[in-house]
Amino acid sequence: MGRVVAAYAYRCGQRIAEIQLGESASWAREKGDFVWIGFHEPTEQDLRTMQQQFGLHELAVEDALHAHQIPKIEIYGESLFVVLRTAQLEQGKVIFGETCIFVGDDYIISVRHGASQSYAKVRQRCESSPKLLTHGVDYVLHALLDYVVDNYLPVVNDAVEEVDAIEERLLQGALDRGDIERIYELRRELVRLRRVAAPMVEVCSRLRHVELPFIDKNMRPYFKDVLDHVVRVNETIDGLREVLSFAFEAAHLLESSRQGEVSRKFAGWAAILAVPTAVAGIYGMNFDDIPELHWEFGYIWALALIFGLAGLLYWQFKRSGWI
């Protein structure tokens, strides 16, 4: 069931009133005034009400109603529609959500879907800086964008710690089957995160150059700062994927080496055991003319031959590292 998380009107960087959806547009008629409305899993009626109030574009409303969009930025006349993908950790798994943002000269509307932290902290941070909030909707847009990108960092940092631990165990030659499976899972999670974070680079980059009345040129350095953060996130993800690929290949090589070592040991012991088997096989044949059959010291000689040849083979294989 959809709900309105918060709906307030702002003037000169200060919150002036809590508003109702049906009257939201009437609070943004004075120059410099704007409304900031937040939804979580809204109903279609909620968004249709906003569409009538602020003239939201039909295609943007459809995208906001049906989630699973990739991060993007669309310009419809003098309004902006931004799609962001959120990420957070839940029980060691990366869970993704989506936030759609409608921005106009006197309104900013956020629509959250799926796993996503509340933007109450963003609102509190903005309201605690009234001087910056006087910039209007462009500063709020930056704050939302920055918050989403910053929430990628705990996910990435957790992966960094786990990859470092796996790498340490790899150097000690102590990787087991569980580690190999976890390497595969981490690579898959990082690929998914990369698909979310990579398009954010284009979103942040385009916001630095958007020519719209409500995007102040003085806010462009702020968008550049968010761009730098998301670029670092992507670079870290790429680095982790390379480390995991190396770890996977190294683990495979170590396992192949261990299997080869075991095979050599088997081959060495098989060669050693072949000596008594061959001698015993010859002397176990049932014919009268076998050499040394009636020799008094034949049994002792046969045992000495067996142990002597076996010892010689053992010494050779031990020196070569086969056993």
Side-chain angles (χ1 to χ4, degrees), residues 29-43:
R29 290 177 179 172
E30 296 292 332
K31 185 173 179 57
D33 291 0
F34 70 93
V35 295
W36 180 359
I37 302 172
F39 290 100
H40 181 236
E41 304 286 355
T43 63

Side-chain angles (χ1 to χ4, degrees), residues 132-191:
L132 291 172
L133 193 55
T134 55
H135 284 280
V137 294
D138 51 356
Y139 176 71
V140 176
L141 175 61
H142 155 264
L144 291 170
L145 193 64
D146 186 55
Y147 185 72
V148 169
V149 172
D150 283 349
N151 280 334
Y152 292 160
L153 296 178
V155 179
V156 174
N157 291 337
D158 184 79
V160 168
E161 292 179 2
E162 192 164 1
V163 170
D164 286 344
I166 290 175
E167 191 175 22
E168 186 67 26
R169 291 196 296 275
L170 172 64
L171 294 176
Q172 296 172 357
L175 287 185
D176 56 20
R177 181 181 178 86
D179 290 322
I180 302 300
E181 292 176 352
R182 186 54 185 161
I183 288 174
Y184 177 78
E185 291 175 357
L186 279 172
R187 289 177 65 185
R188 184 178 60 185
E189 293 293 330
L190 288 172
V191 168

Side-chain angles (χ1 to χ4, degrees), residues 8-273:
Y8 297 103
Y10 293 85
R11 176 178 298 162
C12 299
Q14 300 286 342
R15 183 200 295 184
I16 59 175
E18 183 173 3
I19 62 177
Q20 300 298 319
L21 295 187
E23 58 183 21
S24 53
S26 63
W27 285 92
R29 290 177 179 172
E30 296 292 332
K31 185 173 179 57
D33 291 0
F34 70 93
V35 295
W36 180 359
I37 302 172
F39 290 100
H40 181 236
E41 304 286 355
T43 63
E44 182 174 357
Q45 182 59 45
D46 290 333
L47 291 186
R48 295 302 178 188
T49 299
M50 294 295 94
Q51 183 180 16
Q52 295 173 3
Q53 290 277 311
F54 298 103
L56 306 181
H57 197 278
E58 178 68 25
L59 294 178
V61 172
E62 289 297 325
D63 284 345
L65 283 172
H66 305 94
H68 308 297
Q69 305 290 322
I70 61 172
K72 64 178 182 178
I73 176 173
E74 301 284 354
I75 300 175
Y76 297 104
E78 292 191 350
S79 64
L80 197 63
F81 178 66
V82 182
V83 177
L84 310 176
R85 294 299 302 274
T86 59
Q88 64 185 59
L89 284 172
E90 288 186 7
Q91 299 180 346
K93 296 291 185 181
V94 183
I95 308 298
F96 297 97
E98 184 174 321
T99 296
C100 300
I101 305 174
F102 301 88
V103 191
D105 187 55
D106 51 10
Y107 65 87
I108 182 163
I109 303 168
S110 64
V111 179
R112 290 193 294 127
H113 292 280
S116 174
Q117 295 186 16
S118 170
Y119 294 137
K121 292 181 180 179
V122 181
R123 192 180 294 271
Q124 291 171 3
R125 187 174 67 185
C126 290
E127 292 178 353
S128 66
S129 303
K131 184 176 179 180
L132 291 172
L133 193 55
T134 55
H135 284 280
V137 294
D138 51 356
Y139 176 71
V140 176
L141 175 61
H142 155 264
L144 291 170
L145 193 64
D146 186 55
Y147 185 72
V148 169
V149 172
D150 283 349
N151 280 334
Y152 292 160
L153 296 178
V155 179
V156 174
N157 291 337
D158 184 79
V160 168
E161 292 179 2
E162 192 164 1
V163 170
D164 286 344
I166 290 175
E167 191 175 22
E168 186 67 26
R169 291 196 296 275
L170 172 64
L171 294 176
Q172 296 172 357
L175 287 185
D176 56 20
R177 181 181 178 86
D179 290 322
I180 302 300
E181 292 176 352
R182 186 54 185 161
I183 288 174
Y184 177 78
E185 291 175 357
L186 279 172
R187 289 177 65 185
R188 184 178 60 185
E189 293 293 330
L190 288 172
V191 168
R192 294 175 62 207
L193 185 59
R194 185 70 167 77
R195 291 185 187 139
V196 167
M200 292 289 288
V201 174
E202 182 181 358
V203 170
C204 297
S205 181
R206 287 190 62 189
L207 282 171
R208 293 178 58 210
H209 303 95
V210 166
E211 295 290 344
L212 286 172
F214 54 83
I215 302 292
D216 191 341
K217 291 183 178 181
N218 294 327
M219 286 301 302
R220 290 180 179 177
Y222 290 86
F223 291 120
K224 174 63 166 58
D225 181 66
V226 180
L227 174 62
D228 292 340
H229 289 175
V230 77
V231 167
R232 284 199 296 271
V233 167
N234 280 283
E235 290 175 348
T236 303
I237 292 172
D238 290 339
L240 291 174
R241 290 173 62 191
E242 289 181 8
V243 171
L244 287 174
S245 295
F246 168 75
F248 192 82
E249 293 173 4
H252 178 71
L253 291 174
L254 287 174
E255 183 62 26
S256 298
S257 177
R258 282 194 290 266
Q259 289 178 356
E261 184 179 351
V262 171
S263 298
R264 287 195 300 270
K265 289 182 179 180
F266 277 132
W269 284 110
I272 293 172
L273 294 175

